[in-house]
Amino acid sequence: MALAALVRFAYLSSKPPWTDEFSTLVFSLGHSFRTVPLDQVISSEGLLSPLRLEPEGTPQDVVRYLMSESTHPPVYFLLSHFWLKLFPALPQGIVSLWAGRSLSVVFAILTVPAIYALGWLAGRSRLAANLAAVMYAVSPYAVFLAQDARHYTLALLLITLSFCCLVVAVRKMQARQPIPLWLCAGWVAVNALGVAVHYFVLLSLLSEAIALLFFWRFQAPARHAHPISSFLTPKLLAVALFSLAACLVWLPELANSQTSPLTEWIFYDRSDLLMWLNPIFQFLAAWVVMVILLPLEADFLPLAGVAAVVMIAFLIWFVPLLIYSLKTLLKNPQTRWAVVLLGGLVLGGIAVMTLITYGLGRDVTRGARYNFIYFPAVVALLGAALATLWNRGRLLDLATLPRPWTSRRWYAPRHQFPKTGKTAVLGILFLGFLSALSVAVNLGYEKYYRPEQLAAQMRKYTEAPILVATDHQTHVQTGEMMGIAREFLLAPDASPYTLPQFVLAHGEKNTLTPAATLNQVLSQVPRPFDLWLVNWHASENVNQPDCTAQEIRKIWINGYSYDLYRCR
């Protein structure tokens, strides 16, 4: 837990927030994006006004604005609302980014013992459980999720607890013992709370159902003598039905989110062959960075090249060892059931995401963060595999239990296993630690938006007061502009004379196109000023006789495209 805290709190507020984080901060404060004026010139302070702690919003405001303007359930935002009250505002009057992100880190740290519990319940091995916990602590993917002011770490914690309940229930069924009522109640509560944190927790519940079927097919004793109806006990069916009922409560909101402009980014054209191939590579990339991600996105090209070579060499060495370890675990009757069940959770989650992507035309693999629905099972499997490597061919050291099927120990012949051991496992964990630091310093899993780089470009080429314009569709564009305004506001030399002004051209009031609206606004702005068109996707551009496009040396900036016009 200390290691997880170290790598997640490191440089926590050094990276700029992106649009989804602005959504978390604004809604958690009980504020609305709709208070930001459209189709007119606004100041940086006016654009950032939803980030101010005053006036304070209420929990009712949090729910009202979130449910009307976004596509997420409210539990995390309500928790964040009370959490942000514990921290003072920045000297500039806006909410602290560290405060917003630290709640996600707290839930990430609490997930460490939950991962330990999952590893121990599955294999009854303290070594495997410890290695799973350490693997989660240094996983670059887990650090990436934790350093966002978003709800993924809380959802991940609840999914891990739900998987723990599943493992205990399966152990009881194996022993032909009744599932405790307290376990059923806790399982339903965790599932219900999880769906109220993130709708994609529903996909984890579907993966649990698939894992149970997978387990019955490959592991359940006397499968042919006992049909699936006898395997699914009344209490297990009750858990499923009550969990389903908890999900159905959110069905109207989930249906509305499918038609929201905020979710259009996951839709794809099925006639495009490349779009059919993208999910495969996106899956592979997500799996790799669960284990290792060295500074591939460093601006220093030799460093990025060395990182790529080391990662490729590591994967060539590690993947065969991982496969061999899992095969060895499958050969042991004492550990086979756990590998089958955890593997079913992983394969079930992948199957559900694949079905949504190819069956419904919604590419959920585009968001690597959505792989959190089965990530705890991946970590538990990695912990078991590393424990096998640690023991150089011996399988998990099983604790003495009052169960006849776990009371003995099993060892694989040493000559059948590669000559690895503690050094290899420590090397894997050390590379994971370096990967976690790469994410912390923004050299891996780089933030989707880099407004600090765009602000530097503006300072470099600007000769007059700055006016930034974008064509506005949703509060995503508002968040993009907030990132720029925040960089200027927090700069050491910030003053009313250096802060830019903004135009969010929506065309809402006068039913004009964004370009026509912008030109109408520009005609009323006193000259001189430098106009920066940022993320301008309208088909028309500036049509002002005294505004001329400038040729500047552009650099690639994550999340932003831009053009400069001088209006004299």
Side-chain angles (χ1 to χ4, degrees), residues 126-154:
R126 293 187 180 89
L127 175 60
N130 271 307
L131 289 174
V134 177
M135 199 71 209
Y136 169 80
V138 300
S139 167
Y141 177 77
V143 175
F144 157 70
L145 294 180
Q147 290 196 319
D148 258 1
R150 297 296 285 165
H151 39 190
Y152 298 107
T153 53
L154 177 56

Side-chain angles (χ1 to χ4, degrees), residues 7-8 10-18 21 97 101 140 143-145 147-148 293-300 303-304 433-453 487 557-559:
V7 296
R8 284 156 179 78
Y11 304 99
L12 184 60
S13 59
S14 63
K15 293 170 286 191
W18 62 296
E21 291 185 284
L97 179 60
R101 286 175 174 170
V143 175
F144 157 70
L145 294 180
Q147 290 196 319
D148 258 1
L293 179 60
L294 297 178
L296 282 178
E297 297 176 284
D299 293 331
F300 186 54
L303 177 59
F433 177 72
L434 293 181
S435 301
L437 292 181
S438 298
V439 176
V441 299
N442 212 25
L443 296 180
Y445 256 130
E446 188 179 11
K447 287 293 182 183
Y448 304 117
Y449 291 85
R450 299 295 302 273
E452 79 283 5
Q453 294 182 350
E487 289 299 321
I557 299 175
N558 271 14

Side-chain angles (χ1 to χ4, degrees), residues 23 51 138 184 192 204 246 272 277 286 290-291 300 338 349 360 369 383 398 402 415 419 434 477 479 481 499 509:
S23 298
L51 295 175
V138 300
C184 297
S204 291
D272 187 353
L277 298 176
M290 289 179 182
V291 180
F300 186 54
L360 302 180
R369 55 193 181 276
L398 301 174
H415 68 274
K419 294 298 182 181
L434 293 181
Q477 288 73 43
M481 298 304 104
L499 296 180
K509 294 181 179 179

Side-chain angles (χ1 to χ4, degrees), residues 5-52:
L6 172 66
V7 296
R8 284 156 179 78
F9 277 117
Y11 304 99
L12 184 60
S13 59
S14 63
K15 293 170 286 191
W18 62 296
T19 56
D20 282 17
E21 291 185 284
F22 279 119
S23 298
T24 300
L25 296 174
V26 170
F27 293 131
S28 296
L29 291 171
H31 297 166
S32 169
F33 280 97
R34 291 173 181 168
T35 58
V36 177
L38 304 177
D39 303 332
Q40 65 184 61
V41 177
I42 55 176
S43 65
S44 293
E45 293 92 339
L47 178 60
L48 296 173
S49 60
L51 295 175
R52 295 190 174 275

